[in-house]
Amino acid sequence: MDLDPFFKPKSVAVIGASREPRKFGHVIFKNFVESEFKGKAYPVNPKAETILGLKTYPSVKEVPSELDLAVIAVPAPMVPPIIDECLSKDVKAAIIISGGFKEVGEKGEELELEIREKIRGSGLRIIGPNCIGVYDPINHIDTLFLPRYRLRRPKQGPIAFISQSGAFGSAVLDWAASQ
């Protein structure tokens, strides 16, 4: 599986980008805007015209570019139709930050299975749902929904790690930032 769309995207849509600084979508979009990310980041929110001074698009389908990565931070019931939009737009990869899937019970598990069925046989790769995201200081990919004042980010270095646990992953990132 090609992981470049997760770690080296040229274009990213943050679906659920928000004007509200405490919302996950705001923090994630701000990470792209304020970093040295070399690609193009697009905020997607049907209820906003601009976010952080940038034109906002009402849906993934309206973004005027091919998309390598979609970062999804909306309520769980909204995710399956967004996956349909990502598939029709030929998005290569998606990170589903949203919680409310099998970790909350049968209804959430049904949503997760629906997403799995939608992407079966497609080229769309997914990390998540209910995940903290990806952090790559080399390519300036930061989909972590915790603001930098709450979770420090480490500098570029020779170590990479993957964690199933967001709490453990966050603790390691914070520790690495102090070293």
Side-chain angles (χ1 to χ4, degrees):
M1 174 172 67
D2 183 11
L3 296 176
D4 283 355
F6 291 108
F7 296 99
K8 298 177 184 176
K10 293 178 181 77
S11 55
V12 177
V14 178
I15 303 154
S18 174
R19 294 174 291 214
E20 171 57 47
R22 290 202 244 163
K23 299 260 185 171
F24 291 170
H26 179 86
V27 173
I28 295 166
F29 185 63
K30 187 175 181 180
N31 290 342
F32 283 100
V33 170
E34 293 184 349
S35 76
E36 296 175 35
F37 177 60
K38 302 285 189 258
K40 185 77 173 152
Y42 300 95
V44 175
N45 182 328
K47 297 177 183 170
E49 290 189 25
T50 62
I51 296 175
L52 297 173
L54 295 170
K55 177 179 171 46
T56 302
Y57 298 89
S59 76
V60 173
K61 294 188 288 188
E62 312 240 356
V63 173
S65 165
E66 290 184 9
L67 291 170
D68 292 324
L69 177 63
V71 183
I72 303 171
V74 298
M78 294 173 65
V79 175
I82 288 170
I83 293 298
D84 287 334
E85 288 185 14
C86 289
L87 289 166
S88 72
K89 181 86 173 162
D90 202 25
V91 176
K92 296 171 183 66
I95 299 172
I96 304 174
I97 303 294
S98 313
F101 292 90
K102 71 179 177 184
E103 78 278 4
V104 299
E106 191 174 318
K107 281 193 129 182
E109 187 171 8
E110 288 172 11
L111 284 173
E112 199 166 320
L113 290 171
E114 181 181 351
I115 292 166
R116 196 174 296 152
E117 282 303 311
K118 286 178 181 294
I119 67 166
R120 187 182 308 270
S122 77
L124 180 62
R125 299 293 178 238
I126 292 180
I127 293 176
N130 191 23
C131 71
I132 194 165
V134 170
Y135 175 71
D136 177 357
I138 296 169
N139 295 306
H140 308 284
I141 307 304
D142 185 350
T143 69
L144 307 180
F145 56 80
L146 295 168
R148 292 174 187 272
Y149 69 85
R150 289 192 51 211
L151 177 66
R152 295 175 297 162
R153 282 22 174 212
K155 295 178 185 165
Q156 180 178 332
I159 298 172
F161 82 99
I162 297 173
S163 173
Q164 185 277 330
S165 164
F168 179 77
S170 297
V172 171
L173 284 174
D174 199 45
W175 172 82
S178 72
Q179 299 302 306

